[in-house]
PDB file of all heavy atoms in Angstrom:
ATOM      1  N   ALA A  43      -6.741  20.848   1.032  1.00 94.00           N
ATOM      2  CA  ALA A  43      -7.179  20.565  -0.336  1.00 94.00           C
ATOM      3  C   ALA A  43      -8.488  21.280  -0.664  1.00 94.00           C
ATOM      4  O   ALA A  43      -8.651  21.831  -1.764  1.00 94.00           O
ATOM      5  CB  ALA A  43      -7.350  19.056  -0.502  1.00 94.00           C
ATOM      6  N   LYS A  44      -9.394  21.270   0.297  1.00 93.00           N
ATOM      7  CA  LYS A  44     -10.715  21.854   0.052  1.00 93.00           C
ATOM      8  C   LYS A  44     -10.602  23.330  -0.328  1.00 93.00           C
ATOM      9  O   LYS A  44     -11.195  23.782  -1.307  1.00 93.00           O
ATOM     10  CB  LYS A  44     -11.575  21.689   1.321  1.00 93.00           C
ATOM     11  CG  LYS A  44     -13.019  22.032   1.135  1.00 93.00           C
ATOM     12  CD  LYS A  44     -13.776  21.831   2.436  1.00 93.00           C
ATOM     13  CE  LYS A  44     -15.172  22.431   2.321  1.00 93.00           C
ATOM     14  NZ  LYS A  44     -15.861  22.449   3.610  1.00 93.00           N
ATOM     15  N   SER A  45      -9.813  24.073   0.445  1.00 94.00           N
ATOM     16  CA  SER A  45      -9.719  25.505   0.138  1.00 94.00           C
ATOM     17  C   SER A  45      -8.900  25.737  -1.128  1.00 94.00           C
ATOM     18  O   SER A  45      -9.120  26.715  -1.837  1.00 94.00           O
ATOM     19  CB  SER A  45      -9.161  26.297   1.323  1.00 94.00           C
ATOM     20  OG  SER A  45      -7.944  25.787   1.735  1.00 94.00           O
ATOM     21  N   CYS A  46      -7.976  24.822  -1.430  1.00 96.00           N
ATOM     22  CA  CYS A  46      -7.229  24.955  -2.686  1.00 96.00           C
ATOM     23  C   CYS A  46      -8.182  24.847  -3.876  1.00 96.00           C
ATOM     24  O   CYS A  46      -8.166  25.690  -4.777  1.00 96.00           O
ATOM     25  CB  CYS A  46      -6.150  23.870  -2.766  1.00 96.00           C
ATOM     26  SG  CYS A  46      -5.324  23.817  -4.366  1.00 96.00           S
ATOM     27  N   LEU A  47      -9.025  23.836  -3.861  1.00 96.00           N
ATOM     28  CA  LEU A  47      -9.976  23.644  -4.974  1.00 96.00           C
ATOM     29  C   LEU A  47     -10.947  24.825  -5.062  1.00 96.00           C
ATOM     30  O   LEU A  47     -11.268  25.299  -6.154  1.00 96.00           O
ATOM     31  CB  LEU A  47     -10.736  22.325  -4.795  1.00 96.00           C
ATOM     32  CG  LEU A  47      -9.867  21.052  -4.933  1.00 96.00           C
ATOM     33  CD1 LEU A  47     -10.635  19.820  -4.462  1.00 96.00           C
ATOM     34  CD2 LEU A  47      -9.383  20.858  -6.359  1.00 96.00           C
ATOM     35  N   ALA A  48     -11.367  25.314  -3.894  1.00 96.00           N
ATOM     36  CA  ALA A  48     -12.290  26.458  -3.879  1.00 96.00           C
ATOM     37  C   ALA A  48     -11.618  27.690  -4.482  1.00 96.00           C
ATOM     38  O   ALA A  48     -12.223  28.412  -5.288  1.00 96.00           O
ATOM     39  CB  ALA A  48     -12.740  26.740  -2.452  1.00 96.00           C
ATOM     40  N   LYS A  49     -10.361  27.910  -4.109  1.00 97.00           N
ATOM     41  CA  LYS A  49      -9.630  29.079  -4.637  1.00 97.00           C
ATOM     42  C   LYS A  49      -9.385  28.940  -6.143  1.00 97.00           C
ATOM     43  O   LYS A  49      -9.427  29.926  -6.878  1.00 97.00           O
ATOM     44  CB  LYS A  49      -8.303  29.248  -3.892  1.00 97.00           C
ATOM     45  CG  LYS A  49      -8.449  29.948  -2.543  1.00 97.00           C
ATOM     46  CD  LYS A  49      -7.083  30.224  -1.947  1.00 97.00           C
ATOM     47  CE  LYS A  49      -7.139  31.258  -0.830  1.00 97.00           C
ATOM     48  NZ  LYS A  49      -7.842  30.803   0.378  1.00 97.00           N
ATOM     49  N   MET A  50      -9.132  27.708  -6.588  1.00 97.00           N
ATOM     50  CA  MET A  50      -8.914  27.489  -8.019  1.00 97.00           C
ATOM     51  C   MET A  50     -10.174  27.796  -8.828  1.00 97.00           C
ATOM     52  O   MET A  50     -10.106  28.283  -9.946  1.00 97.00           O
ATOM     53  CB  MET A  50      -8.474  26.041  -8.287  1.00 97.00           C
ATOM     54  CG  MET A  50      -7.047  25.745  -7.872  1.00 97.00           C
ATOM     55  SD  MET A  50      -6.577  24.030  -8.207  1.00 97.00           S
ATOM     56  CE  MET A  50      -6.203  24.121  -9.963  1.00 97.00           C
ATOM     57  N   LEU A  51     -11.319  27.494  -8.221  1.00 96.00           N
ATOM     58  CA  LEU A  51     -12.587  27.757  -8.900  1.00 96.00           C
ATOM     59  C   LEU A  51     -12.899  29.248  -8.917  1.00 96.00           C
ATOM     60  O   LEU A  51     -13.383  29.792  -9.914  1.00 96.00           O
ATOM     61  CB  LEU A  51     -13.719  27.028  -8.177  1.00 96.00           C
ATOM     62  CG  LEU A  51     -13.951  25.575  -8.581  1.00 96.00           C
ATOM     63  CD1 LEU A  51     -15.098  24.993  -7.779  1.00 96.00           C
ATOM     64  CD2 LEU A  51     -14.275  25.493 -10.078  1.00 96.00           C
ATOM     65  N   GLU A  52     -12.613  29.879  -7.800  1.00 96.00           N
ATOM     66  CA  GLU A  52     -12.890  31.305  -7.628  1.00 96.00           C
ATOM     67  C   GLU A  52     -12.079  32.131  -8.637  1.00 96.00           C
ATOM     68  O   GLU A  52     -12.592  33.044  -9.268  1.00 96.00           O
ATOM     69  CB  GLU A  52     -12.483  31.634  -6.194  1.00 96.00           C
ATOM     70  CG  GLU A  52     -12.684  33.009  -5.692  1.00 96.00           C
ATOM     71  CD  GLU A  52     -12.074  33.087  -4.284  1.00 96.00           C
ATOM     72  OE1 GLU A  52     -12.687  32.541  -3.344  1.00 96.00           O
ATOM     73  OE2 GLU A  52     -10.975  33.656  -4.141  1.00 96.00           O
ATOM     74  N   ASP A  53     -10.806  31.774  -8.765  1.00 96.00           N
ATOM     75  CA  ASP A  53      -9.920  32.489  -9.680  1.00 96.00           C
ATOM     76  C   ASP A  53      -8.788  31.521 -10.055  1.00 96.00           C
ATOM     77  O   ASP A  53      -7.882  31.295  -9.256  1.00 96.00           O
ATOM     78  CB  ASP A  53      -9.358  33.745  -8.980  1.00 96.00           C
ATOM     79  CG  ASP A  53      -8.494  34.561  -9.914  1.00 96.00           C
ATOM     80  OD1 ASP A  53      -8.521  34.318 -11.129  1.00 96.00           O
ATOM     81  OD2 ASP A  53      -7.775  35.451  -9.417  1.00 96.00           O
ATOM     82  N   PRO A  54      -8.840  30.946 -11.258  1.00 95.00           N
ATOM     83  CA  PRO A  54      -7.866  29.907 -11.615  1.00 95.00           C
ATOM     84  C   PRO A  54      -6.420  30.373 -11.443  1.00 95.00           C
ATOM     85  O   PRO A  54      -6.109  31.540 -11.710  1.00 95.00           O
ATOM     86  CB  PRO A  54      -8.178  29.631 -13.089  1.00 95.00           C
ATOM     87  CG  PRO A  54      -9.590  30.039 -13.270  1.00 95.00           C
ATOM     88  CD  PRO A  54      -9.798  31.204 -12.341  1.00 95.00           C
ATOM     89  N   ALA A  55      -5.585  29.462 -10.995  1.00 97.00           N
ATOM     90  CA  ALA A  55      -4.171  29.786 -10.800  1.00 97.00           C
ATOM     91  C   ALA A  55      -3.375  29.332 -12.020  1.00 97.00           C
ATOM     92  O   ALA A  55      -3.752  28.395 -12.710  1.00 97.00           O
ATOM     93  CB  ALA A  55      -3.657  29.073  -9.556  1.00 97.00           C
ATOM     94  N   ASP A  56      -2.261  30.028 -12.276  1.00 96.00           N
ATOM     95  CA  ASP A  56      -1.372  29.600 -13.363  1.00 96.00           C
ATOM     96  C   ASP A  56      -0.495  28.443 -12.919  1.00 96.00           C
ATOM     97  O   ASP A  56       0.004  27.682 -13.748  1.00 96.00           O
ATOM     98  CB  ASP A  56      -0.485  30.771 -13.800  1.00 96.00           C
ATOM     99  CG  ASP A  56      -1.312  31.914 -14.341  1.00 96.00           C
ATOM    100  OD1 ASP A  56      -2.314  31.625 -15.026  1.00 96.00           O
ATOM    101  OD2 ASP A  56      -0.980  33.083 -14.060  1.00 96.00           O
ATOM    102  N   ILE A  57      -0.299  28.338 -11.622  1.00 97.00           N
ATOM    103  CA  ILE A  57       0.520  27.254 -11.086  1.00 97.00           C
ATOM    104  C   ILE A  57       0.097  26.973  -9.638  1.00 97.00           C
ATOM    105  O   ILE A  57      -0.228  27.908  -8.899  1.00 97.00           O
ATOM    106  CB  ILE A  57       2.025  27.612 -11.189  1.00 97.00           C
ATOM    107  CG1 ILE A  57       2.901  26.495 -10.623  1.00 97.00           C
ATOM    108  CG2 ILE A  57       2.372  28.904 -10.500  1.00 97.00           C
ATOM    109  CD1 ILE A  57       4.368  26.640 -10.996  1.00 97.00           C
ATOM    110  N   VAL A  58       0.070  25.712  -9.291  1.00 98.00           N
ATOM    111  CA  VAL A  58      -0.213  25.326  -7.902  1.00 98.00           C
ATOM    112  C   VAL A  58       1.060  24.713  -7.314  1.00 98.00           C
ATOM    113  O   VAL A  58       1.669  23.834  -7.924  1.00 98.00           O
ATOM    114  CB  VAL A  58      -1.377  24.303  -7.810  1.00 98.00           C
ATOM    115  CG1 VAL A  58      -1.508  23.744  -6.395  1.00 98.00           C
ATOM    116  CG2 VAL A  58      -2.681  24.944  -8.240  1.00 98.00           C
ATOM    117  N   ILE A  59       1.449  25.237  -6.158  1.00 98.00           N
ATOM    118  CA  ILE A  59       2.623  24.704  -5.464  1.00 98.00           C
ATOM    119  C   ILE A  59       2.099  23.995  -4.226  1.00 98.00           C
ATOM    120  O   ILE A  59       1.373  24.603  -3.425  1.00 98.00           O
ATOM    121  CB  ILE A  59       3.585  25.844  -5.058  1.00 98.00           C
ATOM    122  CG1 ILE A  59       4.090  26.577  -6.305  1.00 98.00           C
ATOM    123  CG2 ILE A  59       4.757  25.302  -4.243  1.00 98.00           C
ATOM    124  CD1 ILE A  59       4.955  27.794  -6.009  1.00 98.00           C
ATOM    125  N   LEU A  60       2.420  22.734  -4.056  1.00 96.00           N
ATOM    126  CA  LEU A  60       1.858  22.041  -2.881  1.00 96.00           C
ATOM    127  C   LEU A  60       2.833  21.083  -2.219  1.00 96.00           C
ATOM    128  O   LEU A  60       3.781  20.595  -2.832  1.00 96.00           O
ATOM    129  CB  LEU A  60       0.555  21.318  -3.252  1.00 96.00           C
ATOM    130  CG  LEU A  60       0.529  20.268  -4.354  1.00 96.00           C
ATOM    131  CD1 LEU A  60       0.984  18.925  -3.828  1.00 96.00           C
ATOM    132  CD2 LEU A  60      -0.903  20.127  -4.862  1.00 96.00           C
ATOM    133  N   ASP A  61       2.579  20.858  -0.939  1.00 94.00           N
ATOM    134  CA  ASP A  61       3.355  19.906  -0.150  1.00 94.00           C
ATOM    135  C   ASP A  61       2.652  18.546  -0.247  1.00 94.00           C
ATOM    136  O   ASP A  61       1.434  18.487  -0.428  1.00 94.00           O
ATOM    137  CB  ASP A  61       3.371  20.392   1.316  1.00 94.00           C
ATOM    138  CG  ASP A  61       4.293  19.556   2.192  1.00 94.00           C
ATOM    139  OD1 ASP A  61       5.118  18.797   1.647  1.00 94.00           O
ATOM    140  OD2 ASP A  61       4.178  19.669   3.418  1.00 94.00           O
ATOM    141  N   LEU A  62       3.407  17.474  -0.124  1.00 91.00           N
ATOM    142  CA  LEU A  62       2.788  16.148  -0.179  1.00 91.00           C
ATOM    143  C   LEU A  62       2.109  15.789   1.134  1.00 91.00           C
ATOM    144  O   LEU A  62       1.176  15.004   1.178  1.00 91.00           O
ATOM    145  CB  LEU A  62       3.844  15.078  -0.492  1.00 91.00           C
ATOM    146  CG  LEU A  62       4.391  15.049  -1.916  1.00 91.00           C
ATOM    147  CD1 LEU A  62       5.370  13.900  -2.073  1.00 91.00           C
ATOM    148  CD2 LEU A  62       3.258  14.928  -2.941  1.00 91.00           C
ATOM    149  N   SER A  63       2.618  16.372   2.215  1.00 84.00           N
ATOM    150  CA  SER A  63       2.128  15.996   3.536  1.00 84.00           C
ATOM    151  C   SER A  63       1.186  17.067   4.060  1.00 84.00           C
ATOM    152  O   SER A  63       1.609  18.044   4.662  1.00 84.00           O
ATOM    153  CB  SER A  63       3.336  15.835   4.461  1.00 84.00           C
ATOM    154  OG  SER A  63       2.915  15.589   5.758  1.00 84.00           O
ATOM    155  N   LEU A  64      -0.098  16.889   3.778  1.00 80.00           N
ATOM    156  CA  LEU A  64      -1.089  17.859   4.243  1.00 80.00           C
ATOM    157  C   LEU A  64      -1.923  17.210   5.334  1.00 80.00           C
ATOM    158  O   LEU A  64      -2.693  16.298   5.055  1.00 80.00           O
ATOM    159  CB  LEU A  64      -1.998  18.285   3.076  1.00 80.00           C
ATOM    160  CG  LEU A  64      -1.322  18.952   1.885  1.00 80.00           C
ATOM    161  CD1 LEU A  64      -2.319  19.148   0.753  1.00 80.00           C
ATOM    162  CD2 LEU A  64      -0.724  20.281   2.297  1.00 80.00           C
ATOM    163  N   ASN A  65      -1.758  17.653   6.531  1.00 74.00           N
ATOM    164  CA  ASN A  65      -2.467  17.049   7.656  1.00 74.00           C
ATOM    165  C   ASN A  65      -3.929  17.482   7.660  1.00 74.00           C
ATOM    166  O   ASN A  65      -4.186  18.679   7.668  1.00 74.00           O
ATOM    167  CB  ASN A  65      -1.787  17.489   8.959  1.00 74.00           C
ATOM    168  CG  ASN A  65      -2.214  16.668  10.138  1.00 74.00           C
ATOM    169  OD1 ASN A  65      -2.746  15.582   9.976  1.00 74.00           O
ATOM    170  ND2 ASN A  65      -1.997  17.200  11.319  1.00 74.00           N
ATOM    171  N   PRO A  66      -4.932  16.635   7.670  1.00 73.00           N
ATOM    172  CA  PRO A  66      -4.841  15.177   7.705  1.00 73.00           C
ATOM    173  C   PRO A  66      -4.901  14.550   6.318  1.00 73.00           C
ATOM    174  O   PRO A  66      -5.061  13.341   6.198  1.00 73.00           O
ATOM    175  CB  PRO A  66      -6.097  14.815   8.500  1.00 73.00           C
ATOM    176  CG  PRO A  66      -7.102  15.831   8.066  1.00 73.00           C
ATOM    177  CD  PRO A  66      -6.325  17.091   7.759  1.00 73.00           C
ATOM    178  N   GLU A  67      -4.788  15.396   5.256  1.00 81.00           N
ATOM    179  CA  GLU A  67      -4.944  14.837   3.908  1.00 81.00           C
ATOM    180  C   GLU A  67      -3.588  14.441   3.327  1.00 81.00           C
ATOM    181  O   GLU A  67      -2.563  14.527   3.986  1.00 81.00           O
ATOM    182  CB  GLU A  67      -5.595  15.882   3.010  1.00 81.00           C
ATOM    183  CG  GLU A  67      -6.961  16.312   3.484  1.00 81.00           C
ATOM    184  CD  GLU A  67      -7.258  17.737   3.080  1.00 81.00           C
ATOM    185  OE1 GLU A  67      -6.371  18.597   3.245  1.00 81.00           O
ATOM    186  OE2 GLU A  67      -8.361  17.988   2.603  1.00 81.00           O
ATOM    187  N   ASN A  68      -3.658  14.038   2.080  1.00 88.00           N
ATOM    188  CA  ASN A  68      -2.469  13.619   1.375  1.00 88.00           C
ATOM    189  C   ASN A  68      -2.365  14.467   0.110  1.00 88.00           C
ATOM    190  O   ASN A  68      -3.327  14.589  -0.648  1.00 88.00           O
ATOM    191  CB  ASN A  68      -2.660  12.127   1.030  1.00 88.00           C
ATOM    192  CG  ASN A  68      -1.469  11.552   0.344  1.00 88.00           C
ATOM    193  OD1 ASN A  68      -0.729  12.248  -0.346  1.00 88.00           O
ATOM    194  ND2 ASN A  68      -1.263  10.263   0.541  1.00 88.00           N
ATOM    195  N   GLY A  69      -1.194  15.069  -0.095  1.00 93.00           N
ATOM    196  CA  GLY A  69      -1.008  15.923  -1.264  1.00 93.00           C
ATOM    197  C   GLY A  69      -1.224  15.172  -2.572  1.00 93.00           C
ATOM    198  O   GLY A  69      -1.652  15.760  -3.564  1.00 93.00           O
ATOM    199  N   LEU A  70      -0.922  13.869  -2.558  1.00 96.00           N
ATOM    200  CA  LEU A  70      -1.103  13.069  -3.784  1.00 96.00           C
ATOM    201  C   LEU A  70      -2.572  13.053  -4.200  1.00 96.00           C
ATOM    202  O   LEU A  70      -2.901  13.128  -5.386  1.00 96.00           O
ATOM    203  CB  LEU A  70      -0.619  11.635  -3.562  1.00 96.00           C
ATOM    204  CG  LEU A  70       0.878  11.446  -3.315  1.00 96.00           C
ATOM    205  CD1 LEU A  70       1.177   9.995  -2.959  1.00 96.00           C
ATOM    206  CD2 LEU A  70       1.697  11.874  -4.527  1.00 96.00           C
ATOM    207  N   ASP A  71      -3.459  12.959  -3.199  1.00 96.00           N
ATOM    208  CA  ASP A  71      -4.895  12.963  -3.501  1.00 96.00           C
ATOM    209  C   ASP A  71      -5.310  14.287  -4.138  1.00 96.00           C
ATOM    210  O   ASP A  71      -6.112  14.313  -5.067  1.00 96.00           O
ATOM    211  CB  ASP A  71      -5.727  12.732  -2.234  1.00 96.00           C
ATOM    212  CG  ASP A  71      -5.574  11.315  -1.720  1.00 96.00           C
ATOM    213  OD1 ASP A  71      -5.213  10.437  -2.532  1.00 96.00           O
ATOM    214  OD2 ASP A  71      -5.793  11.088  -0.517  1.00 96.00           O
ATOM    215  N   LEU A  72      -4.742  15.364  -3.607  1.00 96.00           N
ATOM    216  CA  LEU A  72      -5.085  16.681  -4.166  1.00 96.00           C
ATOM    217  C   LEU A  72      -4.622  16.774  -5.623  1.00 96.00           C
ATOM    218  O   LEU A  72      -5.360  17.277  -6.485  1.00 96.00           O
ATOM    219  CB  LEU A  72      -4.445  17.799  -3.319  1.00 96.00           C
ATOM    220  CG  LEU A  72      -4.640  19.222  -3.846  1.00 96.00           C
ATOM    221  CD1 LEU A  72      -6.106  19.559  -4.052  1.00 96.00           C
ATOM    222  CD2 LEU A  72      -3.992  20.243  -2.906  1.00 96.00           C
ATOM    223  N   ILE A  73      -3.423  16.262  -5.902  1.00 97.00           N
ATOM    224  CA  ILE A  73      -2.936  16.287  -7.296  1.00 97.00           C
ATOM    225  C   ILE A  73      -3.918  15.524  -8.192  1.00 97.00           C
ATOM    226  O   ILE A  73      -4.311  16.005  -9.261  1.00 97.00           O
ATOM    227  CB  ILE A  73      -1.531  15.645  -7.406  1.00 97.00           C
ATOM    228  CG1 ILE A  73      -0.506  16.441  -6.591  1.00 97.00           C
ATOM    229  CG2 ILE A  73      -1.079  15.574  -8.873  1.00 97.00           C
ATOM    230  CD1 ILE A  73       0.856  15.763  -6.466  1.00 97.00           C
ATOM    231  N   ARG A  74      -4.326  14.332  -7.733  1.00 96.00           N
ATOM    232  CA  ARG A  74      -5.250  13.513  -8.552  1.00 96.00           C
ATOM    233  C   ARG A  74      -6.579  14.236  -8.764  1.00 96.00           C
ATOM    234  O   ARG A  74      -7.148  14.203  -9.856  1.00 96.00           O
ATOM    235  CB  ARG A  74      -5.489  12.158  -7.866  1.00 96.00           C
ATOM    236  CG  ARG A  74      -4.263  11.261  -7.897  1.00 96.00           C
ATOM    237  CD  ARG A  74      -4.566   9.850  -7.404  1.00 96.00           C
ATOM    238  NE  ARG A  74      -3.334   9.158  -7.102  1.00 96.00           N
ATOM    239  CZ  ARG A  74      -2.853   8.957  -5.872  1.00 96.00           C
ATOM    240  NH1 ARG A  74      -3.541   9.369  -4.814  1.00 96.00           N
ATOM    241  NH2 ARG A  74      -1.704   8.329  -5.687  1.00 96.00           N
ATOM    242  N   ARG A  75      -7.065  14.907  -7.712  1.00 96.00           N
ATOM    243  CA  ARG A  75      -8.351  15.600  -7.823  1.00 96.00           C
ATOM    244  C   ARG A  75      -8.264  16.752  -8.822  1.00 96.00           C
ATOM    245  O   ARG A  75      -9.193  17.010  -9.588  1.00 96.00           O
ATOM    246  CB  ARG A  75      -8.792  16.110  -6.442  1.00 96.00           C
ATOM    247  CG  ARG A  75      -9.169  14.952  -5.510  1.00 96.00           C
ATOM    248  CD  ARG A  75      -9.307  15.388  -4.071  1.00 96.00           C
ATOM    249  NE  ARG A  75     -10.521  16.148  -3.827  1.00 96.00           N
ATOM    250  CZ  ARG A  75     -10.838  16.658  -2.641  1.00 96.00           C
ATOM    251  NH1 ARG A  75     -10.041  16.477  -1.601  1.00 96.00           N
ATOM    252  NH2 ARG A  75     -11.964  17.327  -2.487  1.00 96.00           N
ATOM    253  N   ILE A  76      -7.126  17.449  -8.811  1.00 97.00           N
ATOM    254  CA  ILE A  76      -6.946  18.533  -9.794  1.00 97.00           C
ATOM    255  C   ILE A  76      -6.877  17.936 -11.199  1.00 97.00           C
ATOM    256  O   ILE A  76      -7.515  18.427 -12.136  1.00 97.00           O
ATOM    257  CB  ILE A  76      -5.660  19.349  -9.483  1.00 97.00           C
ATOM    258  CG1 ILE A  76      -5.822  20.112  -8.164  1.00 97.00           C
ATOM    259  CG2 ILE A  76      -5.339  20.317 -10.632  1.00 97.00           C
ATOM    260  CD1 ILE A  76      -4.551  20.779  -7.663  1.00 97.00           C
ATOM    261  N   ARG A  77      -6.131  16.855 -11.363  1.00 97.00           N
ATOM    262  CA  ARG A  77      -5.982  16.248 -12.703  1.00 97.00           C
ATOM    263  C   ARG A  77      -7.307  15.687 -13.222  1.00 97.00           C
ATOM    264  O   ARG A  77      -7.514  15.576 -14.424  1.00 97.00           O
ATOM    265  CB  ARG A  77      -4.910  15.136 -12.656  1.00 97.00           C
ATOM    266  CG  ARG A  77      -3.499  15.659 -12.471  1.00 97.00           C
ATOM    267  CD  ARG A  77      -3.055  16.513 -13.641  1.00 97.00           C
ATOM    268  NE  ARG A  77      -1.735  17.124 -13.439  1.00 97.00           N
ATOM    269  CZ  ARG A  77      -1.509  18.426 -13.446  1.00 97.00           C
ATOM    270  NH1 ARG A  77      -2.498  19.282 -13.641  1.00 97.00           N
ATOM    271  NH2 ARG A  77      -0.289  18.899 -13.272  1.00 97.00           N
ATOM    272  N   GLN A  78      -8.195  15.319 -12.295  1.00 95.00           N
ATOM    273  CA  GLN A  78      -9.516  14.849 -12.722  1.00 95.00           C
ATOM    274  C   GLN A  78     -10.441  16.029 -13.032  1.00 95.00           C
ATOM    275  O   GLN A  78     -11.575  15.838 -13.460  1.00 95.00           O
ATOM    276  CB  GLN A  78     -10.165  13.994 -11.610  1.00 95.00           C
ATOM    277  CG  GLN A  78      -9.479  12.647 -11.333  1.00 95.00           C
ATOM    278  CD  GLN A  78      -9.515  11.715 -12.537  1.00 95.00           C
ATOM    279  OE1 GLN A  78     -10.457  11.749 -13.311  1.00 95.00           O
ATOM    280  NE2 GLN A  78      -8.484  10.895 -12.708  1.00 95.00           N
ATOM    281  N   GLY A  79      -9.951  17.235 -12.758  1.00 95.00           N
ATOM    282  CA  GLY A  79     -10.774  18.422 -12.997  1.00 95.00           C
ATOM    283  C   GLY A  79     -11.954  18.498 -12.051  1.00 95.00           C
ATOM    284  O   GLY A  79     -13.031  18.987 -12.426  1.00 95.00           O
ATOM    285  N   GLU A  80     -11.754  18.033 -10.822  1.00 94.00           N
ATOM    286  CA  GLU A  80     -12.861  17.997  -9.854  1.00 94.00           C
ATOM    287  C   GLU A  80     -13.510  19.370  -9.695  1.00 94.00           C
ATOM    288  O   GLU A  80     -12.820  20.373  -9.595  1.00 94.00           O
ATOM    289  CB  GLU A  80     -12.326  17.493  -8.497  1.00 94.00           C
ATOM    290  CG  GLU A  80     -13.431  17.310  -7.471  1.00 94.00           C
ATOM    291  CD  GLU A  80     -12.929  16.670  -6.184  1.00 94.00           C
ATOM    292  OE1 GLU A  80     -12.187  15.679  -6.233  1.00 94.00           O
ATOM    293  OE2 GLU A  80     -13.288  17.195  -5.110  1.00 94.00           O
TER     294      GLU A  80
END
Side-chain angles (χ1 to χ4, degrees):
Chain A
K44 190 180 169 189
S45 55
C46 172
L47 293 168
K49 279 187 163 68
M50 286 180 80
L51 274 180
E52 182 185 286
D53 183 13
D56 298 322
I57 180 166
V58 171
I59 298 175
L60 58 83
D61 187 15
L62 288 183
S63 175
L64 300 173
N65 194 18
E67 300 151 315
N68 182 331
L70 294 174
D71 290 337
L72 176 55
I73 297 171
R74 290 189 196 103
R75 291 167 74 181
I76 293 171
R77 290 296 175 239
Q78 292 297 328
E80 185 174 314

